[in-house]
Amino acid sequence: MTGRSGGAELEPIEPSPVVILVRPQMAENIGAVARAMGNGGLFHLRIVAPRDGWPLPRAWITGSGAHRILDNAQVFETVAEAVADLNRVFATCPRPRHIIKPVLTARGGAAEVVAAGQRGLKTGVLFGPERTGLDNDDIANADSLIRYDLNPDFMSLNLAQAVMVFGYEWWLARSPELPPRELQVNETAPATKGELDNFMAHLVRACDESGFLRNEQKRPGMVRNLRHFFTRGEVTRQELNTLHGIITEFSRRRG
Amino acid sequence: MTGRSGGAELEPIEPSPVVILVRPQMAENIGAVARAMGNGGLFHLRIVAPRDGWPLPRAWITGSGAHRILDNAQVFETVAEAVADLNRVFATCPRPRHIIKPVLTARGGAAEVVAAGQRGLKTGVLFGPERTGLDNDDIANADSLIRYDLNPDFMSLNLAQAVMVFGYEWWLARSPELPPRELQVNETAPATKGELDNFMAHLVRACDESGFLRNEQKRPGMVRNLRHFFTRGEVTRQELNTLHGIITEFSRRRG
């Protein structure tokens, strides 16, 4: 799935939560995180004690255009320093144990991040290292936990995927929800009922002439079912013209 | 973010939609897709015309434990073959143009997949190649489109991320705490894609014989538009039989 929009003009959409990667190991993953942040409209990236230092050129490769996010990333030595200016911190972790803090879903966490932002609070979300995840000391810096609702039989969630799911929910939480189903109407307009009636008359006339509707008893039901079918998919004017043409051609050759 | 659960015991959770990768290029991405599928509880993977053939050992590396999904992946030469036994097909694409089909969000699409599964229908979701995405011929095989609601200023969505977002929404859509959707039950079963293919072949043959498709330049576009139309309304088996009958009658009288 691709698109034409590059990342050259990525800008923060405020109030925008800070994504905080704690002790990330792979440059590729940091780049992939930046790309996922771009997809979700996130911008502020902080990196705590990256294993291989910073900057890492390979991150810019997997970042796939999200250069501005990587260019603006800040590095910290400890989680405490990375969250020092934030008002509310969330920690993503699969199975909190022995920790009494509110546990939110990704959707619920994103909603709280948006709500906090609307109150003028600065927020951040902690993501742990590959393999091990956040430890108890990391989590101690957070107000709330975020636990994703995903398949418990396969919890190995890639770092960039974890950021993707949060960014996706954040994007949805801050924008008025799209209708789940919308009809895409571009150049070709849906036909009017009158145009559909014309077409049905044409089709039925041709079916009569061909003998297809010769069974008088079944005829009304068959015509009705044909109309149901041609009505259901919201036929366009252009498609009706094509269908008219087919029937005309069939009839002409026959005659 | 990690966890202890490996993928050794991954099993399909039925009814489970088929993930169909169309002309994927990178083995790493196919593996990452399998991992994301495991996270979302998806299992059935089909691969259409993989650039570098199949199997590709590197996919098992990035699959990170989702071996059973890769072991059970099926390969097809064409999209039409890959969807032949499915009743409802969704295509993920960022910006459909010149195509009149229902456009759903990821959330709305996941809800429709779950609803279709509850009606006993087999479903599948098409994901296009890296960079280019699905082309119009691919999309012609789909009933509905899925367009993710994400940052329009950075549309470069990684293939595995696209599958992740869908799998995440599917997992949530099938869990019981969401409001129940209205179940739409028809007596007549929707046709499979294979049955629709048969009909399309019949129609196109008759159109060719009648001379309707004599313009060689316009022919591919016209055939594709016809397929779009007959795909859109979820045609039933009974309706297809009627349409077959009409064409047969038209052809017979002509000859």
Side-chain angles (χ1 to χ4, degrees), chain A residues 2 131 157 161 181 187 233, chain B residues 1-2 98 112 131 161:
Chain A
T2 60
R131 298 183 202 287
L157 189 61
Q161 301 281 34
R181 187 188 185 100
E187 285 84 63
Chain B
M1 184 180 275
T2 60
H98 315 295
E112 292 225 354
R131 296 182 203 289
Q161 301 282 32

Side-chain angles (χ1 to χ4, degrees), chain A residues 30-62:
Chain A
I30 300 172
V33 162
R35 182 176 181 180
M37 288 174 66
N39 295 141
L42 301 168
F43 189 83
H44 304 297
L45 176 61
R46 296 180 182 179
I47 311 173
V48 176
R51 185 189 66 182
D52 299 333
W54 190 258
L56 298 164
R58 274 177 308 160
W60 273 256
I61 297 170
T62 53

Side-chain angles (χ1 to χ4, degrees), chain A residues 1-10 13 32 34-42 63-66 92-95 97 105-107 127-133 146-162 164-165 167-169 171-172 175-190 203 206-207 209-212 214 222 225-226 228-230 232-236 238-239 241-247 249-255, chain B residues 1-10 13 32 34-42 63-66 88 92-109 112 127-133 144 146-162 164-165 167-169 171-172 175 177-178 203 206-207 209-212 214 222 225-226 228-230 232-236 238-239 241-247 249-255:
Chain A
M1 182 178 275
T2 60
R4 263 139 240 93
S5 307
E9 285 134 43
L10 278 176
I13 300 167
R35 182 176 181 180
M37 288 174 66
N39 295 141
L42 301 168
S64 192
T92 56
C93 53
R95 299 181 188 185
R97 273 171 297 197
T105 61
R107 191 164 297 171
F127 294 87
E130 301 94 331
R131 298 183 202 287
T132 57
I146 295 178
R147 185 176 53 193
Y148 290 5
D149 187 7
L150 283 166
N151 185 8
D153 289 337
F154 190 70
M155 294 288 283
S156 166
L157 189 61
N158 172 272
L159 181 56
Q161 301 281 34
M164 183 75 230
V165 169
Y168 168 72
E169 286 289 7
W171 183 264
L172 291 182
S175 52
E177 191 157 11
L178 288 182
R181 187 188 185 100
E182 51 177 296
L183 194 72
Q184 183 88 349
V185 178
N186 291 322
E187 285 84 63
T188 48
L203 174 64
C207 283
E209 287 169 8
S210 79
F212 182 72
R214 67 181 83 84
M222 295 181 79
N225 287 342
L226 281 170
H228 274 309
F229 170 68
F230 283 102
R232 203 166 50 226
E234 193 162 318
V235 63
T236 68
Q238 190 194 326
E239 286 167 343
N241 286 341
T242 303
L243 296 168
H244 270 296
I246 290 177
I247 295 169
E249 199 72 53
F250 281 162
S251 305
R252 181 184 305 147
R253 288 293 172 120
R254 197 168 60 245
Chain B
M1 184 180 275
T2 60
R4 265 137 237 94
S5 308
E9 283 133 44
L10 278 177
I13 300 167
R35 181 176 181 180
M37 288 173 65
N39 295 141
L42 300 168
S64 190
R88 291 219 54 198
T92 56
C93 53
R95 298 180 187 186
R97 275 171 294 198
H98 315 295
I99 294 171
I100 306 274
K101 287 188 197 277
V103 180
L104 310 165
T105 61
R107 190 163 299 170
E112 292 225 354
F127 294 88
E130 300 93 331
R131 296 182 203 289
T132 56
S144 307
I146 294 177
R147 184 177 54 192
Y148 291 3
D149 186 9
L150 282 167
N151 184 9
D153 289 336
F154 190 71
M155 295 287 283
S156 166
L157 189 61
N158 171 272
L159 181 57
Q161 301 282 32
M164 182 74 229
V165 168
Y168 168 72
E169 286 288 7
W171 183 265
L172 292 183
S175 59
E177 60 270 300
L178 287 188
L203 174 63
C207 284
E209 288 168 6
S210 79
F212 182 71
R214 67 182 82 84
M222 294 182 79
N225 287 341
L226 282 171
H228 274 309
F229 170 68
F230 283 103
R232 202 166 52 225
E234 192 168 314
V235 63
T236 67
Q238 190 195 324
E239 285 166 343
N241 287 340
T242 303
L243 295 168
H244 270 296
I246 289 177
I247 295 169
E249 198 72 52
F250 280 163
S251 305
R252 181 183 304 147
R253 288 295 174 116
R254 197 169 59 244

